[in-house]
Each structure stands twice: as structure tokens, then as C-alpha cells.
Amino acid sequence: MDSLFDDEAAAREAIAEGATLLRGFATEAAPRLMSDLAKVVEAAPFRHMVTPGGFRMSVAMTNCGQAGWVSDAKGYRYDADDPMTGLAWPAMPVPFRQLAAVAAKEAGYEGFDADACLINRYEPGARLTLHQDRNERDYSAPIVSVSLGLPAVFLFGGASRKDRPRRMRLESGDIVVWGGAARLAYHGIASLKDGEHPLTGRCRINLTFRKAL
Ligand code: MD3
Ligand code: FE
């Protein structure tokens, strides 16, 4: 194997116009991603953000990269600094950036260079209600998502919140690249089922790589 991410065996599955599932693409790199993540989390701990409407999110979040996604009473946005520490978000570990770029290329998006990585941690019962990702400047760049640990049911809707979502199981090591027509689709995560995973313990971690700036 010449590189951690050069997985000849990775199967490309078209799941919708512009969306590609790379099953198991991150499995080899996962232990390294978890140790790099531990360093990120030392500098920028997971926290439960509050929505502009005043609800505490069940998903715990942190970020790395030049900008991080934040939510508070003032709204949703990307910010260069972590509001919890007042410091810049930790730099994006090189293996994170490389994995995102290689996965994007595999899905047909050459030259993807993520500047932000939102890290979501789901404990049993945590969920993410249907939403669109609209805080990034340029919707022509895809979003690359990496699932680690416990499996989840991903809800993939349409261009309108009213479109009934498809349910898809995402497992540890799966990467999905969301671009083109899928980039502004409504999506979410159903309430996480309890379990235990050798990589993460009793949780699911999702890394989403974005071009935010
Ligand atoms: C489809 N995260 O962080 S990843 C998010 O598993 C988010 O934590 C979920 O939705 C998670 O915003 C889902 C898959 C994903 C991410 C971004 C998308 C799917 C997407 C953007 C557009 C369309
Ligand atoms: Fe999202």
C-alpha cells in the first residue's frame, strides 16, 4: 500500500446527483485520524452549542482549520476563533486535509482544499434535525464527510424541507462527498442508537470538510 488513502478497492457508489459514497475509504486512516483528533480536542474541547432559537444541540462539536462553524444566540456562522477559548481554532492536521482532498478527487472533485473541518460527536440519543449547510461562501465546492465509530442512520432529503428523506446507514470508515445538486439538499442524522465501537467507544464521530472562506 503506497499511501494510507490510496485504496484501490474503495467502491464508488453514486447515491444521488452530485453525491458519492466511498464505503470504507477512511478505515485504514481511522486510527491516525483519532489520535490527531485527540490533539485537536485538547486545544478545542467538544461543547454543546446553542441554536439561535435557544436550544442546546444534542450533538457535541468542535472545529479545526482556518475557520470553525459556530452557533449561538446571534446565529450560525464561521469564525476564525473558538469562542470558548478566544484562540484561533487548532490547525487542520495534515492527514485530515489530505484525506479530504483524495476522497473529493475520487468522487470527481479535483483540487478540493478544505479550510474548515467541523467535528461532530454523537452520543446515544443525539441527533441532527434536517437542515441545509448554507454558511459557506462558495457552494460550488463539495463537502466531504467522514464517519467514524458507531453507525448512524443518515437522512437525505431534497431541495425542500418537505421532501421525504431517504434513510441510509453510514458506518465507520465511510466517506460521502456532497457536491453539485446534492450540495444544498436537506439532510440530518436520526437519533443515535446505543452501542460500543472499538475505534471510538460509545459514540459516533463525523468530520465534515468544507471550503468555508
Ligand atoms: C449533504 N453532519 O455537520 S454528514 C453537518 O453526520 C452535518 O454529522 C452530519 O450534516 C453528520 O452539517 C451529516 C453528511 C453531510 C454533510 C454535509 C452535507 C451531508 C450533506 C451538505 C450538503 C448535503
Ligand atoms: Fe449538514
Side-chain angles (χ1 to χ4, degrees), residues 10-208:
R12 252 192 237 101
E13 268 175 62
I15 57 183
E17 176 75 33
T20 303
L21 170 57
L22 304 168
R23 265 204 180 109
F25 198 83
T27 302
E28 267 201 270
R32 174 67 195 271
L33 299 176
M34 291 302 295
S35 60
D36 284 339
L37 176 62
K39 286 176 252 168
V40 167
V41 168
E42 266 180 50
F46 280 113
R47 81 291 307 265
H48 294 272
M49 297 190 196
V50 174
T51 66
F55 296 98
R56 173 189 188 264
M57 297 182 77
S58 60
V59 179
M61 299 177 167
T62 187
N63 293 276
C64 60
Q66 284 167 251
W69 185 86
V70 296
S71 177
D72 61 20
K74 290 179 284 183
Y76 306 125
R77 65 194 171 277
Y78 283 92
D79 201 304
D81 300 329
D82 177 353
M84 200 171 143
T85 62
L87 304 171
W89 292 105
M92 199 184 300
V94 169
F96 279 35
R97 265 182 79 198
Q98 284 179 344
L99 175 61
V102 175
K105 184 172 179 197
E106 192 74 17
Y109 298 93
E110 189 99 41
F112 178 66
D113 188 16
D115 53 25
C117 175
L118 170 62
I119 303 157
N120 295 328
R121 186 189 67 198
Y122 296 77
E123 286 180 323
R127 67 197 188 100
L128 200 57
T129 56
L130 281 185
H131 66 278
Q132 292 172 296
D133 288 25
R134 300 182 52 155
N135 298 120
E136 301 75 23
R137 192 162 292 167
D138 176 8
Y139 301 145
S140 72
I143 290 180
V144 174
S145 79
V146 179
S147 293
L148 299 168
L150 289 177
V153 174
F154 178 71
L155 307 170
F156 184 47
S160 156
R161 191 187 290 282
K162 289 173 290 187
D163 296 334
R164 178 214 272 255
R166 280 165 57 191
R167 298 166 73 86
M168 289 174 35
R169 187 176 155 100
L170 291 179
E171 298 194 44
S172 192
D174 290 350
I175 297 190
V176 192
V177 180
W178 309 90
R183 176 63 182 77
L184 288 173
Y186 278 88
H187 60 278
I189 294 285
S191 176
L192 194 84
K193 194 172 163 274
D194 200 355
E196 184 75 30
H197 193 283
L199 189 66
T200 57
R202 217 175 148 196
C203 71
R204 169 176 185 264
I205 302 282
N206 183 261
L207 312 175
T208 51

